[in-house]
Amino acid sequence: MDSLVAGKAAKLASVRYQDIYPSDALLRSVDVVRPRAAELLGLEYFEAEPDAMPTARFEQHHLLLNLQPRAHRLENWRDGQHRDFTYRLHEIVLTPAGMESGWRWHAKSKVIVITIDPPRLRRFAESELGLILSDRQFQDVPQAKDEELCRSGVMLLDALRTRSTGSEVVYEALARVFLVQLLERYGEARGPALEFGAGFTAAQYRRVLDLVAERFGEAITIEEMARAAGMSPAHFSRLFKATLGETPYQFVMDYRVEQARKMLATRDRPLIEIALACGFADQPHFTRIFKRLTGRTPREYRAAL
């Protein structure tokens, strides 16, 4: 095995995946979103020339989503076994935390790398989904075709690329959807598998999120959000809460408050104008919801800017 890839340094001590990347990410979620979303998962996008990563044992789960249209050669050393294979568009590689892994790629990469912290994933699965994971948490997936999961990853990437107003709330929601999909497909649970998101795709969620982004200054009903997802209101509300951890109403309020925070940076803009532009009934309603979600009134928040 190539000495660069073998990477005997540190005797395969557990490290963070990011610590030994051979190149810098073009985009990182930790640089764009607040810790609330970044704590669920880390996303980094790479377009890297042919190179290698030394073999190491990583403390995070890591998932590769291939966006390179042209099939290319990839080598992977995982727990002592060498795989030399052709990596195709929309194929994934999922490596559970603690597994020995090293890489060499022979063509320019276009790949999303998702890293997930096992203790945080366990808390998320138990508290938000009622799912008790095995000690390993994920299956070992050395190569698999998964177009839907790759599409979900691209939606996360797009939410970071745009950096548009409200992208943090949208990223938070899409990150949770992504984790639910990932656990459904490749999670290892103690006991029967749970169907907590069956039939609910990231594309459906994206349509709902786009509706909220376009009309947050107006009244938005559950029926309209459910229609965007192509579901009955009752079924939509149940799945939305199960996956995103909050009701559709709470999500809309979060989004409106995020827009208001950005508008408050314009110091001479009246509070009542911001309240109405963000879909609140009046200034007292705006103040009450804003303080509940941020801990400060709009006036106090503006004064601290």
Side-chain angles (χ1 to χ4, degrees), residues 146-153 155 181 185 200-203:
D146 197 325
E147 293 186 26
E148 176 60 30
L149 196 63
C150 286
R151 280 195 292 267
S152 298
M155 289 180 191
Q181 288 184 317
R185 286 167 164 80
F200 215 26
T201 67

Side-chain angles (χ1 to χ4, degrees), residues 261 264 286-294 296 298 301:
R261 288 172 54 235
L264 285 166
F286 170 44
T287 299
R288 185 170 65 254
I289 298 297
F290 192 97
K291 185 171 183 179
R292 189 179 75 200
L293 296 181
T294 69
R296 290 181 287 185
Y301 181 88

Side-chain angles (χ1 to χ4, degrees), residues 87-291:
Y87 200 29
R88 296 178 173 85
L89 178 65
H90 295 153
E91 287 189 335
I92 72 166
V93 178
L94 174 58
T95 306
M99 176 175 280
E100 180 185 320
S101 182
W103 298 93
R104 179 181 289 281
W105 54 102
H106 295 263
K108 184 174 181 178
S109 69
K110 291 186 177 181
V111 63
I112 293 173
V113 177
I114 301 285
T115 51
I116 301 171
D117 178 69
R120 288 180 178 138
L121 178 66
R122 176 168 283 111
R123 289 195 297 271
F124 171 79
E126 292 178 3
S127 64
E128 301 295 325
L129 305 175
L131 182 63
I132 306 301
L133 296 173
S134 70
D135 290 338
R136 193 168 72 163
Q137 298 186 342
F138 282 116
Q139 303 167 30
D140 172 20
V141 184
Q143 185 180 15
K145 182 85 167 182
D146 197 325
E147 293 186 26
E148 176 60 30
L149 196 63
C150 286
R151 280 195 292 267
S152 298
V154 169
M155 289 180 191
L156 277 171
L157 180 61
D158 288 344
L160 296 180
R161 276 175 165 160
T162 59
R163 305 189 185 206
S164 59
T165 303
S167 63
E168 294 176 19
V169 168
V170 169
Y171 183 89
E172 173 77 18
L174 289 174
R176 294 175 68 95
V177 172
F178 185 91
L179 281 175
V180 167
Q181 288 184 317
L182 187 62
L183 286 167
E184 272 192 319
R185 286 167 164 80
Y186 308 109
E188 284 190 353
R190 293 175 181 166
L194 297 183
E195 296 286 339
F196 35 66
F200 215 26
T201 67
Q204 288 173 305
Y205 270 114
R206 182 76 237 191
R207 291 197 295 271
V208 174
L209 302 181
D210 287 344
L211 172 70
V212 174
E214 291 170 6
R215 296 187 46 205
F216 69 90
E218 311 168 16
I220 304 173
T221 67
I222 294 293
E223 289 75 15
E224 289 172 320
M225 296 172 74
R227 194 178 306 122
M231 296 181 177
S232 70
H235 189 47
F236 166 75
S237 296
R238 184 170 62 253
L239 286 181
F240 194 99
K241 177 69 164 63
T243 306
L244 272 74
E246 59 184 358
T247 66
Y249 171 81
Q250 289 169 328
F251 174 78
V252 171
M253 290 301 108
D254 282 343
Y255 194 90
R256 285 172 171 165
V257 166
E258 187 167 70
Q259 309 320 302
R261 288 172 54 235
K262 297 176 188 300
M263 294 180 189
L264 285 166
T266 305
R267 294 185 176 275
D268 59 351
R269 189 168 186 180
L271 294 182
I272 182 59
E273 182 180 312
I274 294 175
L276 298 179
C278 292
F280 295 100
D282 49 36
Q283 190 170 325
H285 181 221
F286 170 44
T287 299
R288 185 170 65 254
I289 298 297
F290 192 97
K291 185 171 183 179

